[in-house]
Short mmCIF file of all heavy atoms in Angstrom, two decimals:
data_model
loop_
_atom_site.label_atom_id
_atom_site.label_comp_id
_atom_site.label_asym_id
_atom_site.label_seq_id
_atom_site.Cartn_x
_atom_site.Cartn_y
_atom_site.Cartn_z
N ARG C 97 9.98 2.58 0.25
CA ARG C 97 8.62 2.08 0.36
C ARG C 97 7.91 2.29 -0.96
O ARG C 97 8.27 3.17 -1.75
CB ARG C 97 7.86 2.78 1.49
CG ARG C 97 7.52 4.24 1.24
CD ARG C 97 6.38 4.67 2.16
NE ARG C 97 6.15 6.11 2.17
CZ ARG C 97 5.38 6.74 1.29
NH1 ARG C 97 4.80 6.09 0.30
NH2 ARG C 97 5.19 8.04 1.40
N GLN C 98 6.92 1.45 -1.20
CA GLN C 98 6.09 1.61 -2.40
C GLN C 98 5.49 3.02 -2.35
O GLN C 98 5.05 3.48 -1.29
CB GLN C 98 4.98 0.56 -2.34
CG GLN C 98 4.24 0.37 -3.62
CD GLN C 98 3.20 -0.75 -3.47
OE1 GLN C 98 3.34 -1.61 -2.60
NE2 GLN C 98 2.19 -0.72 -4.29
N LYS C 99 5.49 3.70 -3.49
CA LYS C 99 4.99 5.09 -3.48
C LYS C 99 3.51 5.15 -3.13
O LYS C 99 3.07 6.02 -2.41
CB LYS C 99 5.18 5.70 -4.88
CG LYS C 99 6.58 6.14 -5.18
CD LYS C 99 6.63 6.76 -6.56
CE LYS C 99 8.07 7.15 -6.87
NZ LYS C 99 8.22 7.54 -8.29
N ARG C 100 2.76 4.21 -3.69
CA ARG C 100 1.31 4.25 -3.51
C ARG C 100 0.80 3.02 -2.75
O ARG C 100 1.12 1.89 -3.12
CB ARG C 100 0.61 4.32 -4.87
CG ARG C 100 0.86 5.66 -5.57
CD ARG C 100 0.39 5.63 -6.99
NE ARG C 100 -1.08 5.55 -7.12
CZ ARG C 100 -1.90 6.57 -6.94
NH1 ARG C 100 -1.44 7.75 -6.61
NH2 ARG C 100 -3.19 6.41 -7.08
N VAL C 101 0.04 3.28 -1.70
CA VAL C 101 -0.58 2.20 -0.96
C VAL C 101 -1.73 1.64 -1.80
O VAL C 101 -2.45 2.39 -2.45
CB VAL C 101 -1.15 2.74 0.38
CG1 VAL C 101 -1.89 1.67 1.13
CG2 VAL C 101 -0.05 3.31 1.23
N ASN C 102 -1.88 0.31 -1.81
CA ASN C 102 -3.00 -0.33 -2.52
C ASN C 102 -4.15 -0.61 -1.56
O ASN C 102 -3.93 -0.80 -0.37
CB ASN C 102 -2.57 -1.67 -3.10
CG ASN C 102 -1.68 -1.49 -4.30
OD1 ASN C 102 -1.84 -0.53 -5.06
ND2 ASN C 102 -0.74 -2.39 -4.46
N LEU C 103 -5.32 -0.68 -2.14
CA LEU C 103 -6.52 -0.93 -1.34
C LEU C 103 -7.27 -2.14 -1.89
O LEU C 103 -7.38 -2.29 -3.11
CB LEU C 103 -7.43 0.30 -1.44
CG LEU C 103 -8.84 0.13 -0.91
CD1 LEU C 103 -8.89 0.37 0.59
CD2 LEU C 103 -9.80 1.09 -1.61
N VAL C 104 -7.77 -2.99 -1.01
CA VAL C 104 -8.68 -4.06 -1.43
C VAL C 104 -10.00 -3.88 -0.67
O VAL C 104 -10.00 -3.74 0.55
CB VAL C 104 -8.08 -5.46 -1.13
CG1 VAL C 104 -9.12 -6.55 -1.37
CG2 VAL C 104 -6.86 -5.71 -2.01
N MET C 105 -11.10 -3.83 -1.43
CA MET C 105 -12.43 -3.84 -0.82
C MET C 105 -13.07 -5.15 -1.28
O MET C 105 -13.46 -5.28 -2.44
CB MET C 105 -13.25 -2.63 -1.27
CG MET C 105 -12.71 -1.33 -0.73
SD MET C 105 -13.90 0.03 -0.77
CE MET C 105 -13.82 0.53 -2.47
N HIS C 106 -13.12 -6.09 -0.36
CA HIS C 106 -13.60 -7.43 -0.69
C HIS C 106 -15.06 -7.51 -0.24
O HIS C 106 -15.36 -7.72 0.93
CB HIS C 106 -12.71 -8.43 0.06
CG HIS C 106 -12.89 -9.85 -0.37
ND1 HIS C 106 -13.22 -10.23 -1.64
CD2 HIS C 106 -12.76 -11.00 0.33
CE1 HIS C 106 -13.30 -11.54 -1.71
NE2 HIS C 106 -13.03 -12.02 -0.52
N LEU C 107 -15.94 -7.29 -1.21
CA LEU C 107 -17.36 -7.11 -0.87
C LEU C 107 -18.12 -8.43 -0.84
O LEU C 107 -17.80 -9.35 -1.60
CB LEU C 107 -18.02 -6.15 -1.87
CG LEU C 107 -17.34 -4.79 -2.03
CD1 LEU C 107 -18.19 -3.87 -2.90
CD2 LEU C 107 -17.09 -4.12 -0.68
N PRO C 108 -19.14 -8.52 0.02
CA PRO C 108 -19.91 -9.76 0.13
C PRO C 108 -20.50 -10.19 -1.22
O PRO C 108 -21.06 -9.36 -1.94
CB PRO C 108 -21.03 -9.39 1.12
CG PRO C 108 -20.45 -8.29 1.92
CD PRO C 108 -19.57 -7.51 0.99
N GLN C 109 -20.36 -11.46 -1.50
CA GLN C 109 -20.96 -12.11 -2.68
C GLN C 109 -20.52 -11.48 -4.01
O GLN C 109 -21.17 -11.68 -5.03
CB GLN C 109 -22.51 -12.08 -2.60
CG GLN C 109 -23.09 -12.63 -1.32
CD GLN C 109 -22.70 -14.09 -1.06
OE1 GLN C 109 -22.41 -14.84 -1.98
NE2 GLN C 109 -22.66 -14.47 0.21
N ASP C 110 -19.46 -10.72 -4.02
CA ASP C 110 -19.01 -10.04 -5.24
C ASP C 110 -17.90 -10.84 -5.91
O ASP C 110 -16.77 -10.87 -5.42
CB ASP C 110 -18.54 -8.61 -4.89
CG ASP C 110 -17.99 -7.91 -6.11
OD1 ASP C 110 -18.39 -8.24 -7.24
OD2 ASP C 110 -17.11 -7.03 -5.93
N GLU C 111 -18.22 -11.43 -7.04
CA GLU C 111 -17.23 -12.29 -7.71
C GLU C 111 -16.08 -11.48 -8.27
O GLU C 111 -14.98 -11.99 -8.45
CB GLU C 111 -17.92 -13.10 -8.81
CG GLU C 111 -18.97 -14.01 -8.21
CD GLU C 111 -19.24 -15.26 -9.02
OE1 GLU C 111 -18.71 -15.35 -10.14
OE2 GLU C 111 -19.99 -16.11 -8.51
N THR C 112 -16.32 -10.18 -8.55
CA THR C 112 -15.22 -9.37 -9.11
C THR C 112 -14.17 -9.03 -8.04
O THR C 112 -13.10 -8.54 -8.35
CB THR C 112 -15.75 -8.05 -9.73
OG1 THR C 112 -16.24 -7.22 -8.68
CG2 THR C 112 -16.84 -8.30 -10.74
N SER C 113 -14.50 -9.26 -6.76
CA SER C 113 -13.53 -9.00 -5.68
C SER C 113 -12.58 -10.18 -5.47
O SER C 113 -11.65 -10.10 -4.68
CB SER C 113 -14.25 -8.76 -4.34
OG SER C 113 -15.08 -7.64 -4.36
N ILE C 114 -12.82 -11.29 -6.17
CA ILE C 114 -11.99 -12.48 -5.96
C ILE C 114 -10.62 -12.27 -6.59
O ILE C 114 -10.51 -11.82 -7.75
CB ILE C 114 -12.66 -13.74 -6.56
CG1 ILE C 114 -13.98 -14.01 -5.83
CG2 ILE C 114 -11.74 -14.95 -6.46
CD1 ILE C 114 -14.82 -15.12 -6.45
N ILE C 115 -9.57 -12.56 -5.84
CA ILE C 115 -8.20 -12.47 -6.37
C ILE C 115 -7.63 -13.89 -6.41
O ILE C 115 -7.48 -14.54 -5.37
CB ILE C 115 -7.30 -11.56 -5.49
CG1 ILE C 115 -7.89 -10.15 -5.45
CG2 ILE C 115 -5.86 -11.53 -6.02
CD1 ILE C 115 -7.18 -9.19 -4.51
N PRO C 116 -7.36 -14.42 -7.63
CA PRO C 116 -6.84 -15.79 -7.73
C PRO C 116 -5.48 -15.92 -7.06
O PRO C 116 -4.75 -14.92 -6.90
CB PRO C 116 -6.70 -16.01 -9.24
CG PRO C 116 -7.42 -14.88 -9.89
CD PRO C 116 -7.48 -13.76 -8.92
#
Side-chain angles (χ1 to χ4, degrees):
R97 70 160 169 86
Q98 194 177 337
K99 282 182 182 170
R100 292 170 68 77
V101 176
N102 287 327
L103 168 85
V104 171
M105 291 199 281
H106 191 32
L107 305 187
Q109 307 301 334
D110 176 27
E111 298 207 353
T112 68
S113 298
I114 297 173
I115 300 175

